Amino acid sequence: MRYWIALSLCFPLFAMELTLQSGKEDSRPYSILHLQDNIPFECRAHKNEFDDTKRIDCRFSPLSPKKFSPIENAYFKITGAATTKGYTVSIFPKKKMKLYPVAFNLSKSIQTYAADTAQAKQWTVLGYEYIPPLLDAPAPKSSAINFPVRIEKNIEPYVGGLDLKGNPIKITRAQDVTDYMQMKKAYDAKDYAQVLDLADYTLKHYPKTVFRSELMLHQVRAYHERGNHEKVVEIAKQFLRDYSSDQNVAEVLADTANAYGKLGQTADADYFYDRLFKEHGDSPFAAVGMIYKAKQVEFGGSPKRAMYYYQKALDTTQDVDVASQAAFRLAQMELSGGNTEKAAEYADKIIKANPKYLTKVRNDAINMSDMFVYRKDFKTGIRIAEALLNGADPKSAEHEVLLKNLGLRLAQGDRKSEALKRFNEYLKTYKYGDYVAEVRRAKDGLFFEEQESNATGQIKKYDELIQRYGNESVGRKALYKKAQVLFKQKKYKEVLELENELHRLDSEEFPKTNALITQSAIGLEQQYLKEGKCSDAMAIQKMYKTKLEARWDGLLFDCAVKTTQYAVAIKIAEPHLKSKSLPERQTWLLRMAKTQFGLGEYKQALKAGNELVKLLEAEPNPALNEVYRILYDASQRLGNAEGMIRYIKSVETAFPNDFKDIERYTQMVSLGLRQKNEALLQTYARKVMTLQNRTKTYTQTPYIEFTLAQSLQNVEKDAEALQVLKTLNARKLNAEKRSRQQYLIGAVAQKLGRTAEARAAFNASIKADKNSAWGKLAKDALALL
């Protein structure tokens, strides 16, 4: 028996439509995925050695499609990613799947055949568990004849969409639907005047339309884009009243706050920012609001606060454009403040994650590139120039300027061969360009500077020979010699960039070529390890199977952990853990303990740490005393009170009066509170107070003082409790906590018979916060005095 349920999820992505359906055949469930576009596109199945499909990639030509979140069901996981050549939808099987092209429209074609095509307007992916459903016929033989089949009679009519009962779905198109769709198209086309006209007309003539919230939302968006802040406020307030639970409230709050800020009404703006951040802190528009807030306070003359909000937006957003906007402004502000290195970090984030953003702010980006070069940070200035050039249309007027600029930046950065390549590219592309004379002058002076080093002169000579003779004998020898010079200069990355060309050299004529490449890979990996570029170092090791000397194992281990290659890290550590050298074993045990703690493997961290402690008893090494903190922290994470008590003493001995341990002492206070161990509580509470007084840093106040005072009262040390509470007089507390402190002072003073002091404290509690619970208790206490 065969039946199926069409549970369709349609995801319109630019011109493409994706539909996911589920069904059953003889109690065997299956799933069908349809991908359809207006123009033919390619889908390709990647199979393993058992002929099972492990991935299907479908490529579309639009360059800037809308993003969509990964889609999953019991049979598929579907993801999308933009590339320079278009957009790729990838399907991964959770069980089994097969790919079929839909080459014919059976409601129109009367002829079909077994199509083997690379492109089609529609493709079908069948997901199943064991046996493919819907395919009762045996597989065709390789010797079978493929001929067309004509179906001229009994052609099934096309009935359109069906509901769950199999009945045709009837939709009566209303004018408000048409207007709404036209408005969305106008908004996508950035025709905001048309958006407003259609929205106003539809709301006026169809006041009860189901699209009212969407129409008002697009009004807010359009007025926001046009800078009409009064209208944004007017419509947004109505929207927030009528649709307080709408999914787009966060966006409207952000636009409303920004509009009030632009109007100079900062108090109203702050109210809506506060709502946005508190009520919708997990919304993507919270980060957008932080950008708006940053601009508001920056305009108000508070650059530090502005940088705080830009940084917070950068740290919290998942939207690459919002992150790029925040990072770019932070880079500008850091440059203005003279912090070139920090500015370069922000610029680097944009270049790596979203270089196209620089094209949106082209003029500012060009100025930023100029500033980096002026500050002698040629690398960052060049990377910005490269990103701008890569994002420019080769046929645009901007391309000529950006190509010329990149050549000049490369020349200024002493990257002469790259500069020469760009200058030649400019002169070839723009034979009659506006900057031909400037480029020719820069090119002529590129390799003829005074005091040129011998190595540079050699490479110049070899480059000329390579260009002139190519793959001829002289050219091949020049290539080999150039690689040798680069190796001597420790330019290992540049040697590896020549790897493909070097591999083409004859091994008998140039027998040391492979050794040159291998040694360059080792040298580059060592450079990356020294510089902390762990991802690059591990990639080199994986690609070239390098083997470094044991003295590099420490850095290599750290990089393996940072890049989550834990199996590699453990493999590196194992020989050292068995070493006969006691100091070596100690050092590697500490590394393992730290790693296991960082991975959340607290029991294993305790095991490694205790082993190290035993070795330290035999041969102390103060540099490794950090293990006691790891042991304490692991015990705390496991809720092991006995371990906490044991190891906190070791921490105190190893790091006496170290403020870094104040959190650990506070945890011991909490442990004493839970165990009702007044001695334990009081001991560590006093340690916390001592550390705070010594450093004038009161991170645990007033919790620690309130807790200690209560503990002292529990053991009838009321006078001491009163003195502890009075220490808070010199601390900055909010109104509620100040009210609590004064009430507690009054209560203890009353207990000690100091009526006048109690009355003064109760009055101070009421004055601090009469509406708090403590203020009300103080008022009641006064009535009893």
Side-chain angles (χ1 to χ4, degrees):
M1 179 178 180
R2 177 182 297 166
Y3 68 93
W4 65 293
I5 304 174
L7 300 176
S8 299
L9 301 172
C10 294
F11 301 85
L13 304 173
F14 35 104
M16 188 272 280
E17 184 178 281
L18 181 153
T19 307
L20 192 59
Q21 301 174 319
S22 298
K24 280 188 177 181
E25 181 187 49
D26 295 334
S27 300
R28 292 178 301 172
Y30 62 90
S31 184
I32 298 177
L33 171 66
H34 298 284
L35 296 104
Q36 188 170 351
D37 201 353
N38 295 335
I39 58 175
F41 59 97
E42 177 188 9
C43 282
R44 180 177 298 177
H46 303 273
K47 299 185 178 182
N48 61 15
E49 61 271 20
F50 303 107
D51 202 38
D52 292 328
T53 302
K54 289 304 180 183
R55 188 178 86 250
I56 294 172
D57 291 329
C58 295
R59 294 182 174 85
F60 302 85
S61 59
L63 295 179
S64 300
K66 296 180 180 178
K67 295 169 63 177
F68 76 102
S69 300
I71 307 164
E72 292 188 60
N73 70 358
Y75 295 90
F76 308 116
K77 178 178 180 181
I78 309 163
T79 63
T83 68
T84 56
K85 296 182 179 180
Y87 197 84
T88 299
V89 173
S90 297
I91 305 105
F92 300 90
K94 291 189 175 180
K95 295 179 181 177
K96 293 186 177 182
M97 68 178 179
K98 288 185 178 294
L99 173 69
Y100 302 95
V102 180
F104 306 99
N105 185 340
L106 297 182
S107 67
K108 298 179 180 179
S109 301
I110 62 172
Q111 178 174 288
T112 66
Y113 55 89
D116 182 12
T117 179
Q119 290 193 334
K121 291 185 178 180
Q122 183 176 349
W123 293 80
T124 298
V125 183
L126 176 63
Y128 60 96
E129 188 166 4
Y130 300 110
I131 302 173
L134 310 175
L135 300 173
D136 295 329
K141 297 181 179 180
S142 60
S143 59
I145 300 174
N146 179 18
F147 57 89
V149 177
R150 296 180 65 84
I151 309 173
E152 297 182 355
K153 297 181 180 181
N154 302 323
I155 297 177
E156 296 293 335
Y158 176 74
V159 296
L162 302 177
D163 63 16
L164 292 177
K165 295 182 179 180
N167 300 318
I169 300 172
K170 297 180 180 179
I171 299 177
T172 302
R173 182 169 289 276
Q175 185 59 39
D176 63 332
V177 178
T178 302
D179 291 343
Y180 170 69
M181 298 306 295
Q182 289 179 349
M183 181 202 68
K184 291 195 70 174
K185 289 182 180 179
Y187 183 81
D188 291 338
K190 298 184 179 181
D191 187 354
Y192 303 120
Q194 178 73 355
V195 171
L196 295 171
D197 288 342
L198 287 168
D200 291 341
Y201 178 87
T202 307
L203 288 170
K204 180 178 180 181
H205 291 83
Y206 303 93
K208 295 184 179 180
T209 176
V210 296
F211 302 110
R212 186 171 183 271
S213 64
E214 281 289 318
L215 292 165
M216 292 180 67
L217 174 65
H218 278 78
Q219 283 180 312
V220 171
R221 289 173 172 172
Y223 280 125
H224 181 262
E225 292 291 343
R226 299 185 76 178
N228 191 334
H229 308 301
E230 291 85 356
K231 294 295 291 184
V232 170
V233 169
E234 176 188 335
I235 298 170
K237 289 170 70 176
Q238 183 67 39
F239 180 96
L240 293 172
R241 283 196 297 268
D242 296 346
Y243 305 101
S244 59
S245 60
D246 190 273
Q247 63 180 357
N248 296 300
V249 163
E251 179 181 355
V252 175
L253 286 172
D255 288 350
T256 307
N258 182 54
Y260 272 120
K262 295 290 186 181
L263 293 171
Q265 301 177 36
T266 55
D268 292 324
D270 289 341
Y271 166 78
F272 285 97
Y273 282 129
D274 190 62
R275 281 191 58 185
L276 173 63
F277 300 151
K278 288 184 178 179
E279 299 172 13
H280 304 276
D282 57 348
S283 166
F285 287 95
V288 175
M290 291 171 194
I291 297 287
Y292 294 155
K293 176 71 173 178
K295 291 179 179 178
Q296 176 186 312
V297 297
E298 184 181 358
F299 181 79
S302 300
K304 288 187 177 179
R305 285 189 64 210
M307 292 182 74
Y308 165 79
Y309 283 108
Y310 283 127
Q311 186 65 55
K312 193 171 182 181
L314 177 60
D315 292 341
T316 58
T317 187
Q318 299 296 317
D319 189 307
V320 68
D321 281 333
V322 174
S324 299
Q325 187 178 356
F328 189 84
R329 189 66 194 111
L330 284 166
Q332 288 180 311
M333 297 178 79
E334 293 288 2
L335 275 176
S336 297
N339 194 344
T340 307
E341 184 176 347
K342 190 66 176 178
E345 292 179 15
Y346 290 120
D348 188 62
K349 291 178 185 292
I350 302 171
I351 294 167
K352 288 181 177 178
N354 190 20
K356 290 183 179 179
Y357 176 79
L358 296 173
T359 302
K360 297 180 181 179
V361 289
R362 181 182 292 110
N363 291 336
D364 286 338
I366 291 174
N367 291 336
M368 182 178 289
S369 176
D370 292 341
M371 182 59 72
F372 275 116
V373 172
Y374 177 77
R375 299 271 182 84
K376 305 301 181 184
D377 185 348
F378 299 107
K379 180 180 177 181
T380 306
I382 289 169
R383 293 189 68 197
I384 293 173
E386 285 176 337
L388 287 170
L389 180 63
N390 293 336
D393 184 344
K395 297 180 180 179
S396 66
E398 293 82 9
H399 186 271
E400 179 184 359
V401 177
L402 294 171
L403 180 57
K404 179 263 297 183
N405 285 350
L406 177 56
L408 295 176
R409 301 286 174 274
L410 290 165
Q412 290 171 296
D414 203 33
R415 289 161 63 171
K416 298 177 181 179
S417 61
E418 295 174 72
L420 179 61
K421 178 182 176 181
R422 293 300 183 178
F423 288 149
N424 287 337
E425 180 183 350
Y426 178 91
L427 295 172
K428 180 179 179 181
T429 306
Y430 302 103
K431 294 180 181 179
Y432 307 102
D434 295 334
Y435 308 99
V436 169
E438 182 180 357
V439 170
R440 286 193 183 281
R441 283 195 301 271
K443 179 185 175 182
D444 291 342
L446 197 57
F447 296 111
F448 300 96
E449 298 175 0
E450 295 181 359
Q451 299 179 351
E452 186 176 62
S453 68
N454 185 45
T456 302
Q458 285 181 313
I459 291 175
K460 172 182 172 293
K461 180 182 68 177
Y462 295 141
D463 281 337
E464 291 174 349
L465 293 173
I466 293 168
Q467 186 176 8
R468 186 179 307 163
Y469 295 101
N471 197 39
E472 295 179 15
S473 176
V474 175
R476 294 195 302 271
K477 188 173 183 180
L479 174 64
Y480 184 76
K481 290 291 185 181
K482 175 184 176 180
Q484 287 184 316
V485 172
L486 290 171
F487 180 81
K488 289 179 181 179
Q489 291 185 296
K490 298 184 178 180
K491 295 183 178 180
Y492 307 119
K493 185 176 181 181
E494 294 183 34
V495 174
L496 295 180
E497 288 173 351
L498 299 172
E499 182 180 358
N500 291 335
E501 290 83 353
L502 290 170
H503 277 311
R504 296 192 189 103
L505 297 178
D506 184 80
S507 57
E508 292 184 1
E509 185 179 4
F510 305 100
K512 297 182 180 180
T513 302
N514 288 334
L516 182 63
I517 293 172
T518 300
Q519 291 301 315
S520 295
I522 291 173
L524 184 58
E525 183 179 359
Q526 291 172 347
Q527 285 183 353
Y528 285 148
L529 289 172
K530 289 178 181 178
E531 296 167 4
K533 296 179 178 179
C534 289
S535 296
D536 294 330
M538 299 308 293
I540 289 290
Q541 186 187 63
K542 183 178 181 181
M543 182 181 299
Y544 294 95
K545 310 298 182 186
T546 56
K547 294 183 179 180
L548 304 184
E549 297 174 356
R551 62 191 178 92
W552 293 96
D553 282 356
L555 292 174
L556 200 58
F557 175 91
D558 293 339
C559 279
V561 172
K562 286 181 182 178
T563 55
T564 69
Q565 299 182 51
Y566 303 117
V568 176
I570 292 172
K571 187 175 180 180
I572 296 169
E574 284 176 348
H576 298 281
L577 295 175
K578 300 174 183 178
S579 173
K580 295 181 180 180
S581 169
L582 189 59
E584 183 179 352
R585 286 170 57 197
Q586 290 176 332
T587 299
W588 282 91
L589 279 169
L590 179 60
R591 284 189 172 123
M592 286 296 291
K594 283 183 177 180
T595 301
Q596 289 164 338
F597 181 85
L599 293 173
E601 298 174 356
Y602 303 122
K603 291 183 179 179
Q604 291 85 339
L606 283 171
K607 183 179 178 181
N610 282 319
E611 185 176 348
L612 173 56
V613 169
K614 291 179 181 178
L615 296 180
L616 290 175
E617 290 174 357
E619 186 173 326
N621 186 349
L624 304 179
N625 284 345
E626 185 68 19
V627 67
Y628 297 115
R629 285 173 169 158
I630 295 173
L631 288 168
Y632 171 84
D633 291 341
S635 299
Q636 191 270 334
R637 299 293 195 282
L638 292 170
N640 184 348
E642 181 180 349
M644 291 171 65
I645 295 172
R646 181 188 312 122
Y647 295 120
I648 195 64
K649 290 299 180 184
S650 299
V651 171
E652 291 178 63
T653 303
F655 307 98
N657 301 320
D658 193 335
F659 190 79
K660 290 181 180 179
D661 299 310
I662 195 167
E663 286 285 347
R664 295 181 177 89
Y665 294 154
T666 303
Q667 290 168 0
M668 294 301 295
V669 172
S670 299
L671 178 62
L673 190 62
R674 289 195 301 272
Q675 294 185 340
K676 297 183 179 180
N677 186 334
E678 305 295 348
L680 181 68
L681 186 157
Q682 292 175 25
T683 297
Y684 287 97
R686 293 189 185 281
K687 286 182 180 293
V688 172
M689 290 182 66
T690 300
L691 284 175
Q692 291 194 145
N693 289 331
R694 181 168 59 82
T695 61
K696 306 301 180 184
T697 304
Y698 301 95
T699 57
Q700 308 302 323
T701 293
Y703 165 78
I704 208 71
E705 289 84 354
F706 286 155
T707 306
L708 177 57
Q710 183 59 56
S711 178
L712 290 169
Q713 290 183 73
N714 292 344
V715 295
E716 298 183 356
K717 293 183 179 180
D718 297 317
E720 290 185 43
L722 184 62
Q723 292 304 314
V724 170
L725 290 169
K726 286 183 178 180
T727 63
L728 291 173
N729 289 336
R731 309 290 170 254
K732 185 177 181 180
L733 304 177
N734 62 30
E736 189 272 342
K737 287 184 172 59
R738 180 63 72 193
S739 179
R740 177 183 178 182
Q741 179 228 2
Q742 290 298 321
Y743 170 79
L744 293 175
I745 288 176
V748 178
Q750 183 181 13
K751 187 176 180 181
L752 293 171
R754 304 177 186 179
T755 305
E757 186 176 354
R759 180 177 287 107
F762 289 142
N763 282 321
S765 175
I766 296 169
K767 182 178 179 181
D769 190 351
K770 65 180 180 181
N771 295 319
S772 70
W774 305 102
K776 292 176 181 178
L777 287 172
K779 184 177 180 181
D780 294 339
L782 278 175
L784 297 175
L785 286 178

